[in-house]
Amino acid sequence: MTAVDELTWTAVCEFGDLEPERGVAALLPGGEQVALFLTYAGTLHALSNVDPFSGAAVLSRGIVGDRTGMPVVSSPVYKQAFDLTTGQCLDEPDVRVRTYPVVVWDGFVRVGSP
Amino acid sequence: MTRTLVVVGNGMVGHRAVQALRDRDAEGTWRVVVLAEESRPAYDRVALSSYVDTWDAGTLSLPEHDESVQVRLGDPVRHIDRAAKVVTTASGHEQGYDALVLATGSRPFVPPVPGHDLPGCHVYRTIEDLDLIRASGGRSAVVIGGGLLGLEAANAVRLMGMAPKVVELAPRLMPLQVDEGGGALLRRQVERLGLEIHCGVSTVAVEAGGNGAAAGVSLADGTRLDADVVVFSAGIRPRDELARESGLAVGERGGILVDESCRTSDESIYAVGECACLEGRVYGLVGPGYAMAEVVADRLLGGGAVFPGADTSTKLKLLGVDVASFGDAHAASPGALEVVHNDPVSGSYRKLVVSDDAHVLLGGVLVGDASQYATLRPLVGRPLPADPGSLVAPAGGVDLALPDEAQVCSCHAVTKGQITCAINESGCTDVASVKSCTKAGTGCGSCVPMLKQLLDECGVVQSKALCEHFEQSRAELFEVVRATGIRTFSQLIAGYGKGRGCDICKPVVASILASLATGHVLDGEQAGLQDTNDRFLANLQRNGTYSVVPRIPGGEITPEKLLVIAEVARDFGLYTKITGGQRIDLFGATVDQLPPIWRRLVDAGFESGHAYGKALRTVKSCVGTTWCRYGVQDSVALAIDLELRYRGLRAPHKIKAGVSGCARECAEARGKDFGVIATELGWNLYVGGNGGFKPRHADLLVSDVDTETLVRVIDRFLMFYVRTADRLQRTAAWIEAMDGGLDHLREVIVDDSLGICADLESAMAEHIDSYQDEWRGVLEDPEKLARFSSFVNAPGVPDPTISFREERGQRVPTVQLGMPTEGLLAGPNISEVAAR
């Protein structure tokens, strides 16, 4: 695991900008796109925004819910579900998308990237 | 080497023979030539009486053969040169053959009574016969013959507005199918419909009136019946004259003699259907004809199929009365016993014929209520599971355990064992999957209740649960929301579900809330329930961009508005395509471009076209009376009115509609969820059509209604659909799954059998009153508008993964092969993904 102090932290928005179960996309300095999700329970998750099945950068626009209690987002393109915590695709065991560390500090949502 | 098959006759059985051969002859070893006497393509003669509903011959069409089959219409074969293997048609056309199939069918038998050939005398066999009866403009009709065909003819005549009188020589109606008791009940039921029945009496003469045309029919008992239309449907005679003339062997009472392989006395010539005489019998039902067609197809390809013996079991609804007979219905077997339950009060007659020891079921007759047909018919020839008395008793409640080899679907010869195997081993969990897996239930459909029962018996719980979060079906959730007044997803799932929902239940609840007219679809929590299309009020395309479809009601648009669309497309670099729904789709807009695009469209007077929603899409129209030389009603005006009336209506699935100004049907309305076709008297309304994966023509619901009635019935239809259909169930599947199907739908929304029509209408009125354009709603609300940005931290930066190339002068997405590497930690290799 990457040590926290080696990460670059990008403030992407104010925490108050996020609404539960409605993702937003953010652009990191390296050009990577992350999808940010606030669950109904109040936990924050950041995954790669790129849907691996279509190649479109759209995961932030998927529907957020749960599968057997596990928070997931469904890709809006072909509907595969991704575990918000691990990025694991629940419909294709071989597929997993990158997750990013995310913290709220000083009222801002910050995403860590190497 | 390719050989030539010539089929003489293009009726249902000839058509089936060709289709069966084409289905199996993948290598194309046979070239097929069909020589037909009739000048119209093959059609469903069994459904002939339904032609009177629409006067649209297209509704009876059978599927067309592929283009390799050559069909020559209106040129009957007159001569067979068996030595040279050449047939000659009436026009002198000569056609050589390697094999010949005679499917010449039969002709109606007209008893040679005096006056049988007067003007006003008709037969009942073809579309042309019905056209002639209609054109005669008769007022009083006598139908000679009270069998199956006679009652069909009586029904057709009745639908043309005449009260027919039926004359039957035998002492009861349908003497071949039902016994005396069943016939008596059948008679009482049809007399209630206003038919006058004369049984056990022969026709002496057709009498001419002053104009030399038929004016009445006199019977042997001295009765005289007024009639300016006389329809003979007193049986059929095989069309075997061509065979006789060619020296083929024919039966004593007619019919071309064939063996069990359907081969005639000439080994290159087969005969199938009503013209064939097999084991001394001529079969006048389509089922045995189809079986012969299959045998011949198999034989032509070198197989050894033999005629399986005919199942002459029949179940049909005649003049609204269910009639079924199966097996040895007349107890002709030695020692056979009859067990009868006759209830004239409730209008049901049931008879079982059993062996002399009462252990084996031999046959039966059911009149009035034939619901037991599906369970009883497969038991024929098998030990009875219970004593026969309890089986005929009303609501017997006896467990009819069938043996595995019992045939459940007689149309496709599917046994109970094959069905339970499909359920237990192939994992079929509902009627639809059993149907597609085994073909059972896809013919006449009478065994569908049995399929449900077998699913139950196999322990398949046919769950109605919407998803893991809600145990209710969509229709039940709709009622919960309606009755409780709950208006948020969180309240609903807390009270009636579990967890936090998913991409199945959230859009369903969003749709229910929208149907109940609860404000803008992106208000508050509702926005998070929507699929991406509804969330951005545009259609997501494969590269993450969206397409934009402004509403163009009825497909009518001014040049000025067309210019606005063109300018918007040009200025934003959007790919432009005309849709099948008579509007224009603009592709390639990014999320942040959607508001400025719509600002310009809304300013020019456009509204959302709801192409993104499970909602009313378009009402397509033809040109109508304003311009068209043939139109009989103003289809464009009606289409616009309907589209504006129902715009914004959210539903379980998309709804498409069409209005045609005349029977030429240029708007393709019968391929729509609801389709309206103009008649000279008003409008015909068809429901339950769709294109897509499984195309289906809509069925006639009401005919010749005025505009007000039409709109009222559509209001009810749509609202009933919105309330009771399953998620993603189009109207076709909804009607098909309904107990009682189209008849039940008609009872509910036309006859108001449930007393809910006023409620449905007021719900629709509420929808119409509360309609607001969704895009205007977004543009006027800064909070909603703010959500249309690509990046929360860089609202003006376009998505860098989107790129375009040019094709035929327009921008299209660059195609990406394989999985992107960005953001992907694990994945199958590229070639696997590309193959998806």
Side-chain angles (χ1 to χ4, degrees), chain B residues 159-178:
Chain B
L159 291 173
M160 288 185 226
M162 295 177 258
K165 308 168 190 90
V166 178
V167 180
E168 169 58 45
L169 185 61
R172 61 178 182 276
L173 294 174
M174 291 185 75
L176 290 181
Q177 287 82 15
V178 307

Side-chain angles (χ1 to χ4, degrees), chain A residues 10-13 17-28 31-34 36 40-41 48-58 60-69 72 74-79 86 92 94-100, chain B residues 468-469 489-490 493 498-504 506-507 522 524-525 527-532 535-536 540-546 591 783 787 790-794 797-802 816 818-820 822-828 832-833 836:
Chain A
T10 308
V12 292
C13 63
D17 292 341
L18 298 179
E19 294 169 83
E21 300 186 342
R22 296 183 57 180
V24 296
L27 199 56
L28 298 185
E32 285 168 70
Q33 300 187 33
V34 291
L36 283 175
Y40 194 74
S48 162
N49 192 33
V50 177
D51 167 36
F53 296 97
S54 63
V58 292
S60 62
R61 303 179 213 156
I63 288 178
V64 178
D66 77 282
R67 278 221 190 151
T68 57
V72 296
S74 297
S75 163
V77 187
Y78 299 119
K79 314 297 178 197
T86 63
E92 293 278 346
D94 293 343
V95 177
R96 187 147 75 92
V97 297
R98 179 183 295 279
T99 56
Y100 296 80
Chain B
E468 67 173 82
H469 305 103
F489 180 80
S490 291
I493 199 163
K498 59 169 196 260
R500 277 309 301 167
C502 63
D503 61 329
I504 294 173
K506 282 187 165 179
L522 298 181
E525 198 195 44
L529 308 179
Q530 309 288 2
D531 262 322
T532 186
R535 194 165 151 193
F536 292 100
L540 179 72
Q541 303 298 333
R542 61 187 306 160
N543 65 343
T545 63
Y546 290 81
V591 166
E783 204 178 305
R787 295 185 189 128
S790 6
F791 299 109
V792 67
N793 59 340
V797 179
D799 176 354
T801 66
I802 295 171
Q816 180 181 358
M819 267 196 186
E822 183 189 331
L824 189 65
L825 280 184
E832 272 178 34
V833 176
R836 252 170 236 280

Side-chain angles (χ1 to χ4, degrees), chain B residues 13-140:
Chain B
V13 173
H15 182 270
R16 170 61 73 95
V18 174
Q19 205 159 34
L21 180 67
R22 293 297 308 128
D23 283 349
R24 296 176 205 176
D25 185 16
E27 274 110 60
T29 58
W30 286 96
R31 182 173 85 91
V32 182
V33 180
V34 179
L35 300 173
E37 178 178 73
E38 285 183 89
S39 51
R40 62 172 76 241
Y43 60 93
D44 181 358
R45 223 184 289 278
V46 171
L48 187 61
S49 65
S50 72
Y51 174 56
V52 180
D53 290 338
T54 60
W55 297 107
D56 172 5
T59 60
L60 300 180
S61 301
L62 294 176
E64 277 183 36
H65 298 306
D66 59 55
E67 59 275 16
S68 72
V69 177
Q70 189 191 337
V71 182
R72 199 178 167 95
L73 297 175
D75 193 11
V77 171
R78 289 284 185 248
H79 180 71
I80 306 172
D81 182 342
R82 288 167 50 199
K85 291 194 171 179
V86 171
V87 295
T88 310
T89 68
S91 72
H93 174 76
E94 292 191 347
Q95 173 65 54
Y97 65 84
D98 295 294
L100 186 67
V101 173
L102 299 175
T104 46
S106 63
R107 72 165 55 81
F109 169 64
V110 178
V113 295
H116 67 87
D117 48 2
L118 287 173
C121 290
H122 302 269
V123 293
Y124 174 81
R125 182 168 176 85
T126 63
I127 286 177
E128 286 72 18
D129 292 335
L130 281 177
D131 285 338
L132 281 173
I133 297 172
R134 184 195 195 194
S136 73
R139 287 187 308 276
S140 53

Side-chain angles (χ1 to χ4, degrees), chain A residues 9 13-16 18 44 102-110:
Chain A
W9 291 92
C13 63
E14 290 185 39
F15 183 73
L18 298 179
L44 202 52
V102 56
V103 294
V104 180
W105 181 62
D106 214 11
F108 280 88
V109 178
R110 292 161 199 270

Side-chain angles (χ1 to χ4, degrees), chain B residues 251-269:
Chain B
E252 273 174 43
R253 290 186 298 173
I256 307 161
L257 277 182
V258 294
D259 62 15
E260 59 180 7
S261 68
C262 297
R263 197 169 264 151
T264 66
S265 52
D266 180 329
E267 64 168 22
S268 304
I269 305 181

Side-chain angles (χ1 to χ4, degrees), chain B residues 162-493:
Chain B
M162 295 177 258
K165 308 168 190 90
V166 178
V167 180
E168 169 58 45
L169 185 61
R172 61 178 182 276
L173 294 174
M174 291 185 75
L176 290 181
Q177 287 82 15
V178 307
D179 60 354
E180 200 184 323
L185 175 63
L186 179 60
R187 174 176 182 153
R188 274 198 303 280
Q189 302 284 74
V190 301
E191 279 175 342
R192 275 194 208 160
L193 294 173
L195 271 68
E196 190 180 313
I197 307 293
H198 300 264
C199 283
V201 61
S202 60
T203 305
V204 178
V206 179
E207 291 163 2
N211 60 358
V217 172
S218 55
L219 307 183
D221 62 4
T223 314
R224 187 186 178 280
L225 306 172
D226 281 343
D228 49 10
V229 167
V230 179
V231 182
F232 288 100
S233 49
I236 54 167
R237 294 290 180 269
R239 293 278 303 270
D240 56 11
E241 59 274 13
L242 192 59
R244 284 175 193 271
E245 184 250 23
S246 321
L248 295 174
V250 294
E252 273 174 43
R253 290 186 298 173
I256 307 161
L257 277 182
V258 294
D259 62 15
E260 59 180 7
S261 68
C262 297
R263 197 169 264 151
T264 66
S265 52
D266 180 329
E267 64 168 22
S268 304
I269 305 181
Y270 298 84
V272 292
E274 294 175 332
C275 67
C277 176
L278 204 156
E279 288 162 350
R281 281 195 68 176
V282 171
Y283 293 97
L285 292 170
V286 76
Y290 279 175
M292 292 182 212
E294 298 284 342
V295 167
V296 169
D298 183 74
R299 289 274 169 171
L300 287 169
L301 295 172
V306 295
F307 185 67
D311 181 0
T312 52
S313 300
T314 324
K315 173 176 181 276
L316 54 142
K317 206 181 193 90
L318 271 173
L319 294 155
V321 186
D322 276 333
V323 179
S325 88
F326 54 95
D328 180 12
H330 296 296
S333 316
L337 305 173
E338 296 178 276
V339 183
V340 177
H341 175 90
N342 189 1
D343 181 353
V345 180
S346 73
S348 104
Y349 175 90
R350 298 190 190 87
K351 178 180 84 172
L352 293 189
V353 178
V354 297
S355 59
D356 53 2
D357 60 1
H359 283 331
V360 178
L361 180 65
L362 300 176
V365 174
L366 306 167
V367 178
D369 171 12
S371 55
Q372 281 179 309
Y373 176 77
T375 40
L376 289 172
R377 191 198 48 78
L379 283 170
V380 169
R382 301 179 185 283
L384 281 166
D387 88 90
S390 64
L391 289 176
V392 293
V398 177
D399 180 24
L400 295 173
L402 294 175
D404 272 353
E405 60 282 11
Q407 210 176 70
V408 169
C409 171
S410 56
C411 300
H412 292 286
V414 186
T415 63
K416 177 192 167 189
Q418 288 168 304
I419 292 165
T420 51
C421 174
I423 298 167
N424 295 327
E425 281 158 45
S426 309
C428 295
T429 53
D430 53 20
V431 170
S433 58
V434 171
K435 278 182 173 181
S436 68
C437 185
T438 63
K439 282 176 97 174
T442 59
C444 72
S446 68
C447 63
V448 170
M450 193 67 202
L451 302 182
K452 281 190 191 149
Q453 197 180 320
L454 287 174
L455 280 160
D456 285 343
E457 280 175 22
C458 291
V460 175
V461 180
Q462 294 174 62
S463 167
K464 332 171 274 192
L466 188 59
C467 64
E468 67 173 82
H469 305 103
F470 287 100
E471 282 176 12
Q472 301 85 345
S473 67
R474 182 192 174 279
E476 287 167 343
L477 276 183
F478 196 104
E479 286 313 306
V480 167
V481 175
R482 206 157 71 91
T484 60
I486 288 177
R487 290 296 179 261
T488 70
F489 180 80
S490 291
Q491 274 178 293
L492 185 67
I493 199 163

